[in-house]
Amino acid sequence: MSKRRIKKIAIIGSGIMGSGIACHFANIGVDVLLLDIVPRELNDKEKAKSLTLKDKAVRNRLVNDALTASIKSKPAPLYHASFKNRITTGNLEDDIEKVKDVDWIMEVVVERLDIKQQVFEKLDKYRTPGTLITSNTSGIPIKFMSEGRSDDFQKHFCGTHFFNPARYLKLFEIIPGPKTSQEVLDFLNEYGEKFLGKTSVVAKDTPAFIGNRIGIFGIQSLFHQVKEMDLTVEEVDKLTGPVIGRPKSATFRTVDVVGLDTLVHVANGIYENCPNDEAHELFRLPEFINTMMKNKWLGSKTGQGFYKKEGKEIKTLDLNTLQYREKKSARFATLELTKTVDKVIDRFPILVSGKDKAGEFYRKNFAAMFAYVSNRIPEISEELYKIDDAMKAGFGWEHGPFQIWDAIGVEKGIELMKAQGLEPNLWVNDMLASGSKSFYTIKDGATYFYNIASKSQEKIPGQDAFIILDNIRKSNEVFKNSGVVIEDLGNGILNVEFQSKMNTIGGDVLAGLNKAIDIAEKDFAGLVVGNQGANFSVGANIGMIFMMAAEQEYDELNMAIKYFQDTMMRMRYSSIPTVAAPHGMTLGGGCELSMHADKVVAAAETYIGLVEFGVGVIPGGGGSKEMALRASDTFRKGDVELNVLQEYFLTIGMAKVATSAYEAFDLGILQKGKDVVVVNKDRQIATAKACAKLIAESGYTQPVKRKDVKVLGKQALGMFLVGTDSMEASHYISEHDQKIANKLAYVMAGGDLSEPTLVSEQYLLDLEREAFLSLCTERKTLERIQHMLKTGKPLRN
């Protein structure tokens, strides 16, 4: 572990990338100095105000405008709006000497070598020896950038390539220069993982490094395939989206978002700089791309690309006529066969054996990709796992090319290649000959990869800080039903992992949670509720609620809600500490569960909230009770208690969702001083386990049930009812919205008690359940639930 500390960073260049990186360093608590050039002339606004080029507002205009635009952009680059206070702006003439006080200088100026070299020459004059200095370049060779600089500069210099947007994309490529010291590489590798929450990959100084070299190959190969197989834009996006574990935006929609010009710039760079690449011709742009570039159809930023919005309608580019036409739906028999296969990795063997156009597409596509990645070793990386890591973290693939090849079978992959007239690199045949039948193996909960140099399986470094549930599920399983798997994490801590569709909470999951608490109370020290799916949990199984309500099985429904509530209360009142580890979407019941744990270890990227209003009910798993309890706990002497309660009421009534774990503190869903945030999701289960162990070892005692929740009765109820009445009268909410809000008001006020009273949690839970049940008898609630089940979107009726 290096002794270096990063307390302050200077970022030079405030474009989209520079401002985004500045925001992400601010996210993790680093003091940021963001510098850019001084404008050459005044703009009209400045002239109207009679300002001159000497005024500070003018001199910092470029940097301030760029940062403001970045902060306003969607998705937000900051975890919390207040974090912008950690960024100070300035310009390269007045403020450059301030770089002497920083621990790291990062250059993010335009992609021109001459300009970068000029910037480094200036910085070298003010930089304190020993300070890290890096360039966020996506393609300029690192070796050219530090030529002529001091020895100390060259030793502390390398490339650090973030992907855009810096907050959301996890790849952090580190590219050594000719003289970069090992200490610097080791430090950045660890800093990227531990502090920035990234997947750090040390790459070689080759064109486009690892992520873009493979990613752009994949896209270019598709561009050529589209014509050859006569596929439409919609068909390609259907085939290359979530079905194979890629983002919803798949291929063409992603290109529109990123910008066609960005992609073309990288593709041209590879075409010019990699004359010996066996797929060299694939990097030549097809004619339709050249036409789109000429027409400036670059995607979202120019209003049209492969897709174009006309009014409310989205039109698609016909690649043969280059005219926009109505969107067509795409269907393939092969894809239908994978509908029942939940795990993406299990779909690949089915996809490549498809008998239709989709099957042919996948066979060609994967054959080309497998051959290409096998030939990039050792050119761009010595180790195959780095290629997979780069594709997963930089392009949002669920599985890297070598993992997909393993899923299809190494020999089967070679067969696909041969059918396309391709061959794998020799080392793949050597691997099979040496007795290794796959690129990866799992041993004792750790992942091993085939090391080409030693011709043996070796452990991937850096795994000790992680717990990978996929790797331990079979060997450490303690109990399993159709909703959960309970695993032993070691050191006396159990984990309960949801296995339902989208991790919804139904009867099996609740039974599994109760079972986990039973086992933990008997033989373990603590319990973690965590999983490594795309989302923690989208809430209760509303399909089940709909069925019971539609069939008017109100006794069964009452029992089901009570079972949910009782399970949440067991989470809180068990004799062992419970730790929830939410991440991604944590909605409704998923949020209620987190609120009932002894501690929450949330991933920074957690989108959490009580959203039940959207389906016509109030939170019924303890969430409404919990908000009333938390309001009561924040009442201070002399407070206007009604105002405090109203804030908590509005959090539920407006179905507010935090767009990061830090925002969840503002909503009262996470609690300051108790709950913690983890930036790297890969470390989350390990951190949650450590927290459970620490709470247990510090002497955990089963809490005593609360009977001291202060409710305000009629006084609060009256205020809420007047409020919902005026909102309905001014058409801000519908009549049914008002009905739901009034039911919630009754629960959070503690009923129509004549004066403020101390009540038990159970009293509030009974009110909550009664309100939830009565809403389930309403036709409009059933319409809302049905609409959500059909479309995934809330209905306002």
Side-chain angles (χ1 to χ4, degrees):
M1 174 72 195
S2 172
K3 299 270 192 305
R4 273 181 194 278
R5 295 270 180 277
I6 303 296
K7 293 180 263 201
K8 190 165 187 177
I9 185 168
I11 291 177
I12 316 298
S14 64
I16 290 173
M17 207 66 226
S19 290
I21 294 170
C23 287
H24 194 55
F25 273 92
N27 279 337
I28 63 164
V30 174
D31 191 357
V32 182
L33 174 66
L34 181 63
L35 304 179
D36 213 323
I37 56 174
V38 174
R40 295 276 166 263
E41 52 196 41
L42 298 172
N43 64 21
D44 294 342
K45 260 193 200 158
E46 290 160 348
K47 285 176 189 161
K49 286 184 181 168
S50 308
L51 294 172
T52 71
L53 286 171
K54 287 185 176 156
D55 285 301
K56 194 168 182 195
V58 175
R59 296 177 75 74
N60 287 354
R61 173 185 12 114
L62 293 176
V63 66
N64 288 336
D65 287 358
L67 182 60
T68 303
S70 177
I71 288 169
K72 282 185 181 161
S73 69
K74 292 270 182 282
L78 289 169
Y79 290 147
H80 194 282
S82 66
F83 293 176
K84 69 173 181 288
N85 303 333
R86 297 168 179 171
I87 305 173
T88 310
T89 54
N91 67 70
L92 281 166
E93 287 172 27
D94 307 332
D95 305 293
I96 191 159
E97 64 200 44
K98 292 180 181 168
V99 303
K100 70 180 192 313
D101 301 322
V102 305
D103 308 296
W104 181 350
I105 302 167
M106 188 186 298
E107 166 278 310
V108 199
V109 303
V110 291
E111 287 285 87
R112 265 182 51 191
L113 182 60
D114 55 338
I115 294 177
K116 288 185 188 283
Q117 285 173 327
Q118 286 164 24
V119 169
F120 288 136
E121 194 173 339
K122 266 190 189 167
L123 291 168
D124 209 0
K125 289 181 186 142
Y126 298 101
R127 172 185 163 272
T128 302
T131 304
L132 293 173
I133 179 145
T134 71
S135 169
N136 183 70
T137 177
S138 57
I140 296 177
I142 303 300
K143 57 178 179 281
F144 297 149
M145 286 193 216
S146 56
E147 275 176 356
R149 301 272 60 83
S150 64
D151 269 359
D152 185 83
F153 184 107
Q154 296 202 40
K155 202 171 113 181
H156 293 92
F157 176 76
C158 66
T160 44
H161 182 212
F162 284 81
F163 274 54
N164 186 31
R167 166 181 164 182
Y168 299 93
L169 283 181
K170 288 195 62 183
L171 182 56
F172 179 58
E173 289 181 315
I174 302 156
I175 309 97
K179 295 185 178 170
T180 314
S181 84
Q182 192 58 44
E183 178 268 327
V184 165
L185 296 177
D186 292 344
F187 171 77
L188 289 170
N189 195 37
E190 183 176 30
Y191 190 86
E193 300 265 358
K194 201 170 178 180
F195 294 90
L196 291 164
K198 301 293 176 199
T199 298
S200 301
V201 174
V202 178
K204 292 186 173 187
D205 193 3
T206 53
F209 314 130
I210 297 178
N212 278 336
R213 180 73 175 273
I214 306 297
I216 301 295
F217 166 80
I219 294 170
Q220 284 286 117
S221 148
L222 272 174
F223 283 168
H224 292 283
Q225 227 175 321
V226 169
K227 287 301 226 186
E228 190 191 318
M229 292 186 65
D230 194 27
L231 289 160
T232 65
V233 164
E234 294 94 334
E235 284 174 332
V236 172
D237 276 357
K238 180 86 173 176
L239 294 167
T240 58
V243 68
I244 57 168
R246 309 272 166 90
K248 250 208 304 264
S249 53
T251 302
F252 290 116
R253 180 80 195 97
T254 300
V255 174
D256 275 357
V257 171
V258 172
L260 186 62
D261 51 340
T262 307
L263 180 109
V264 164
H265 172 75
V266 184
N268 284 337
I270 299 173
Y271 185 76
E272 284 155 27
N273 295 308
C274 300
N276 302 326
D277 187 313
E278 78 284 356
H280 185 244
E281 279 311 298
L282 263 185
F283 290 98
R284 190 196 286 274
L285 299 169
E287 213 31 61
F288 71 91
I289 297 289
N290 288 326
T291 308
M292 289 175 75
M293 288 294 287
K294 260 193 232 111
N295 295 350
K296 298 241 178 320
W297 296 349
L298 307 180
S300 309
K301 59 181 159 194
T302 58
Q304 64 193 97
F306 291 104
Y307 294 97
K308 177 186 186 179
K309 200 169 184 186
E310 286 185 8
K312 286 200 166 171
E313 207 187 343
I314 298 203
K315 300 220 157 160
T316 314
L317 188 65
D318 183 312
L319 299 177
N320 295 317
T321 63
L322 291 188
Q323 303 287 317
Y324 288 93
R325 55 158 174 78
E326 281 182 10
K327 233 174 147 183
K328 296 178 184 169
S329 68
R331 293 181 75 88
F332 296 99
T334 298
L335 298 192
E336 297 299 315
L337 299 175
T338 63
K339 280 208 163 139
T340 53
V341 183
D342 284 343
K343 282 203 160 61
V344 172
I345 198 78
D346 299 333
R347 293 177 194 159
F348 294 109
I350 302 167
L351 296 174
V352 295
S353 51
K355 302 278 185 279
D356 57 356
K357 210 174 187 181
E360 187 193 345
F361 170 84
Y362 288 122
R363 288 189 289 277
K364 285 187 171 200
N365 193 290
F366 290 134
M369 177 58 81
F370 297 162
Y372 194 72
V373 292
S374 76
N375 283 325
R376 298 287 70 77
I377 298 174
E379 182 197 347
I380 64 173
S381 168
E382 301 288 332
E383 296 93 3
L384 60 89
Y385 72 85
K386 287 184 177 175
I387 290 178
D388 281 355
D389 280 355
M391 296 320 297
K392 290 189 290 186
F395 285 77
W397 294 14
E398 201 172 313
H399 306 286
F402 289 107
Q403 289 174 312
I404 296 171
W405 193 347
D406 262 353
I408 289 169
V410 179
E411 280 159 338
K412 176 74 181 163
I414 295 174
E415 208 179 288
L416 297 183
M417 279 182 230
K418 291 193 166 153
Q420 301 298 325
L422 297 166
E423 287 283 342
N425 195 290
L426 288 173
W427 68 262
V428 181
N429 295 321
D430 287 351
M431 176 182 95
L432 292 171
S434 76
S436 275
K437 295 290 174 227
S438 60
F439 300 109
Y440 294 101
T441 48
I442 308 292
K443 264 195 297 212
D444 306 325
T447 309
Y448 287 70
F449 75 103
Y450 176 73
N451 184 324
I452 294 152
S454 69
K455 294 192 180 186
S456 62
Q457 294 276 343
E458 287 183 16
K459 190 174 169 183
I460 297 177
Q463 287 179 77
D464 301 337
F466 306 155
I467 292 172
I468 302 167
L469 295 174
D470 277 351
N471 290 0
I472 65 166
R473 196 174 296 117
K474 282 196 177 78
S475 56
N476 295 26
E477 186 185 298
V478 175
F479 170 85
K480 182 182 181 175
N481 68 14
S482 62
V484 305
V485 176
I486 301 173
E487 301 112 345
D488 181 352
L489 297 181
N491 301 106
I493 307 299
L494 266 192
N495 181 67
V496 57
E497 179 187 11
F498 299 173
Q499 296 269 298
S500 52
K501 194 169 177 66
M502 294 193 75
N503 290 336
T504 50
I505 304 173
D508 287 349
V509 169
L510 293 173
L513 270 168
N514 279 293
K515 181 73 175 172
I517 297 170
D518 288 342
I519 298 169
E521 286 186 324
K522 187 168 167 283
D523 295 319
F524 288 81
L527 176 69
V528 171
V529 182
N531 64 66
Q532 288 165 334
N535 298 298
F536 179 71
S537 171
V538 296
N541 181 343
I542 56 169
M544 182 188 75
I545 294 168
F546 179 76
M547 296 285 288
M548 289 182 190
E551 300 285 330
Q552 298 186 358
E553 293 171 346
Y554 298 124
D555 284 347
E556 280 93 333
L557 189 51
N558 182 41
M559 294 290 286
I561 303 159
K562 187 166 185 332
Y563 188 34
F564 200 132
Q565 289 182 337
D566 291 348
T567 307
M568 296 305 100
M569 293 296 274
R570 266 206 90 190
M571 285 277 299
R572 172 160 297 165
Y573 293 109
S574 61
S575 60
I576 39 102
T578 55
V579 176
H583 60 88
M585 284 197 285
T586 303
L587 305 174
C591 176
E592 289 174 303
L593 184 144
S594 301
M595 292 171 79
H596 284 84
D598 290 302
K599 190 181 189 76
V600 178
V601 174
E605 297 299 345
T606 300
Y607 314 106
I608 186 169
L610 297 163
V611 294
E612 285 81 356
F613 261 55
V615 289
V617 291
I618 67 167
S624 305
K625 171 274 302 176
E626 187 58 21
M627 279 307 205
L629 179 146
R630 290 187 180 193
S632 153
D633 284 349
T634 51
F635 293 158
R636 296 284 172 268
K637 208 174 170 185
D639 263 357
V640 181
E641 294 174 341
L642 284 171
N643 293 356
V644 176
L645 186 64
Q646 186 177 21
E647 262 184 56
Y648 283 83
F649 172 79
L650 286 174
T651 294
I652 300 179
M654 293 169 75
K656 290 183 184 177
V657 176
T659 62
S660 79
Y662 289 99
E663 284 186 10
F665 288 105
D666 296 350
L667 299 180
I669 288 169
L670 293 186
Q671 296 180 297
K672 286 188 170 127
K674 186 186 95 161
D675 299 330
V676 295
V677 180
V678 178
V679 183
N680 190 333
K681 190 178 137 193
D682 294 338
R683 290 173 174 257
Q684 190 183 11
I685 301 285
T687 307
K689 172 189 165 181
C691 287
K693 187 167 173 271
L694 186 66
I695 300 170
E697 285 168 357
S698 309
Y700 180 81
T701 309
Q702 183 166 338
V704 176
K705 290 197 175 167
R706 299 275 303 263
K707 297 196 176 89
D708 60 346
V709 183
K710 184 177 185 182
V711 291
L712 305 179
K714 272 187 174 147
Q715 179 195 2
L717 188 56
M719 176 190 74
F720 286 143
L721 297 185
V722 169
T724 62
D725 217 29
S726 68
M727 283 172 88
E728 197 271 330
S730 56
H731 304 296
Y732 188 70
I733 59 174
S734 71
E735 207 177 304
H736 193 54
D737 289 330
Q738 184 185 9
K739 187 173 272 181
I740 309 164
N742 288 350
K743 296 273 186 193
L744 175 67
Y746 191 83
V747 176
M748 290 186 73
D752 54 2
L753 302 167
S754 53
E755 57 183 28
T757 310
L758 298 181
V759 299
S760 69
E761 276 182 274
Q762 195 53 54
Y763 170 83
L764 287 170
L765 284 169
D766 293 341
L767 289 183
E768 174 188 282
R769 190 168 72 254
E770 205 176 300
F772 186 96
L773 266 173
S774 71
L775 285 166
C776 287
T777 65
E778 298 279 343
R779 185 175 57 82
K780 287 194 166 174
T781 286
L782 293 186
E783 284 168 8
R784 287 190 180 193
I785 297 179
Q786 192 169 22
H787 190 267
M788 178 62 83
L789 287 168
K790 270 191 182 152
T791 66
K793 295 185 175 79
L795 170 73
R796 289 293 298 274
N797 58 355

